[in-house]
Each structure stands twice: as structure tokens, then as C-alpha cells.
Amino acid sequence: MEMISNACLQRFKAINDVKDILSGKWKIMIIASLSVFGEKRYTELQRIIDGIGTKMLSKELQELEINGLIKRTVMDTKPVTVKYELTAYGSTLKPIIDEMASWGSQHRVKVIQEIAEK
């Protein structure tokens, strides 16, 4: 059995950390939405992210806030308005999100071509 180097193990741990922070069906879409559209109110996010329920959006936003990726701002309005935006730290994920979008587009084209060839 081949020994795995410490550097490799550390790399896998780092990948696992990212997976744990961004896990779930919606977190990446929330980050992508805030990255593309900037600061958004809760209801705007709910409209942008098709299919997400109110409880799930609240839960995911809370977890992203705990991890320092988004900032929640309660506005002094009636009724109360809550806005969300990426923090500077959350914005460091933008190149990763952009790369995922690029890969996803290429993959979709590849799959469609393969189906058409059958």
C-alpha cells in the first residue's frame, strides 16, 4: 500500500473544509447570486434562487454568515428590511464560482453533443 504524503493529506483536509462550508443544495447558488447581483434583500434572494424555501434560505444564510462569507444588515425601516451581501472574505470565492460556471457550461455542451451523436 502506498503511503500518502503529509502534504497530500493536508490538501485533502483543506478540500474537505471547503466541502463542509459550501455543502448543501443552495449555498453555492446564494454565493453566486450575491456575487453577480450584489447586495440583495431576503425576498429578492428568494425570487432569484428558484425552488428554495423560506426556512432553507434562512438556514443557509445563517450558516454562511457564521462562516464569515456573507454580511446580514437589518435596516431601520417599517416593515423591517434585511439585506445580505458578500463579505470581502466571501468575495474571494468569486473566481471559484466563475470557474464552476465555466466548467458547467462546457460540460452541458459536451453531454448534449454526446447524446446527439447516439
Side-chain angles (χ1 to χ4, degrees), residues 99-115:
E99 194 59 36
M100 288 174 71
S102 175
W103 187 90
S105 295
Q106 292 169 23
H107 177 70
R108 181 177 296 270
V109 168
K110 177 183 178 296
V111 169
I112 291 169
Q113 285 176 343
E114 288 174 357
I115 291 170

Side-chain angles (χ1 to χ4, degrees), residues 25-92:
K25 185 175 178 180
W26 305 106
K27 286 186 183 119
I28 291 174
M29 287 305 299
I30 292 168
I31 292 167
S33 298
L34 293 172
S35 174
V36 169
F37 299 112
E39 181 182 82
K40 287 290 168 204
R41 294 188 319 265
Y42 181 89
T43 53
E44 291 174 318
L45 279 173
Q46 201 170 13
R47 277 193 292 267
I48 292 168
I49 304 168
D50 188 39
I52 193 167
T54 56
K55 286 182 183 178
M56 183 57 72
L57 179 56
S58 293
K59 177 185 160 292
E60 300 288 62
L61 288 168
Q62 186 177 37
E63 289 179 15
L64 290 168
E65 184 180 13
I66 287 168
N67 283 297
L69 301 177
I70 64 168
K71 177 183 172 193
R72 178 181 187 266
T73 305
V74 179
M75 308 301 288
D76 188 19
T77 58
K78 291 194 185 202
V80 172
T81 305
V82 181
K83 292 185 178 182
Y84 296 90
E85 62 186 312
L86 289 178
T87 61
Y89 184 56
S91 293
T92 63

Side-chain angles (χ1 to χ4, degrees), residues 2-19:
E2 185 179 335
M3 287 292 296
I4 299 174
S5 72
N6 191 43
C8 187
L9 288 173
Q10 293 304 314
R11 183 176 171 91
F12 288 160
K13 284 181 184 177
I15 291 168
N16 247 344
D17 289 345
V18 172
K19 182 182 64 80

